Amino acid sequence: MEKVGSFRPDLIFMDICLPEASGLELTREITGNYPDTKVIIMTGYDSTGYQELAANTGLRDFFLKAR
């Protein structure tokens, strides 16, 4: 979040599981605080549950990584 505030990126590619945080929570925080920053979630977690949770975060799009 500190770097998002400093750099104000136009686009962020986010994963769901990150070493120290939830990508879903970070997406919600980023889109709430920086509405001009678009977040795209790219993940290997193939679950409709994750897609439904992600849909409520303000993300721009959701993609599954190819395995």
Side-chain angles (χ1 to χ4, degrees):
M1 283 305 300
E2 182 179 321
K3 289 189 184 220
V4 173
S6 297
F7 294 110
R8 300 289 180 102
D10 293 323
L11 178 65
I12 295 174
F13 288 95
M14 181 77 69
D15 199 347
I16 289 175
C17 291
L18 302 172
E20 297 180 15
S22 162
L24 296 175
E25 289 301 319
L26 285 174
T27 298
R28 184 175 289 112
E29 190 173 344
I30 291 166
T31 59
N33 292 321
Y34 307 100
D36 292 336
T37 299
K38 293 166 184 59
V39 180
I40 295 175
I41 292 181
M42 295 183 69
T43 187
Y45 292 97
D46 187 10
S47 166
T48 55
Y50 280 123
Q51 291 179 25
E52 290 170 8
L53 289 171
N56 297 318
T57 63
L59 80 157
R60 181 65 173 209
D61 215 334
F62 186 102
F63 294 100
L64 291 174
K65 294 178 189 175
R67 292 184 181 192

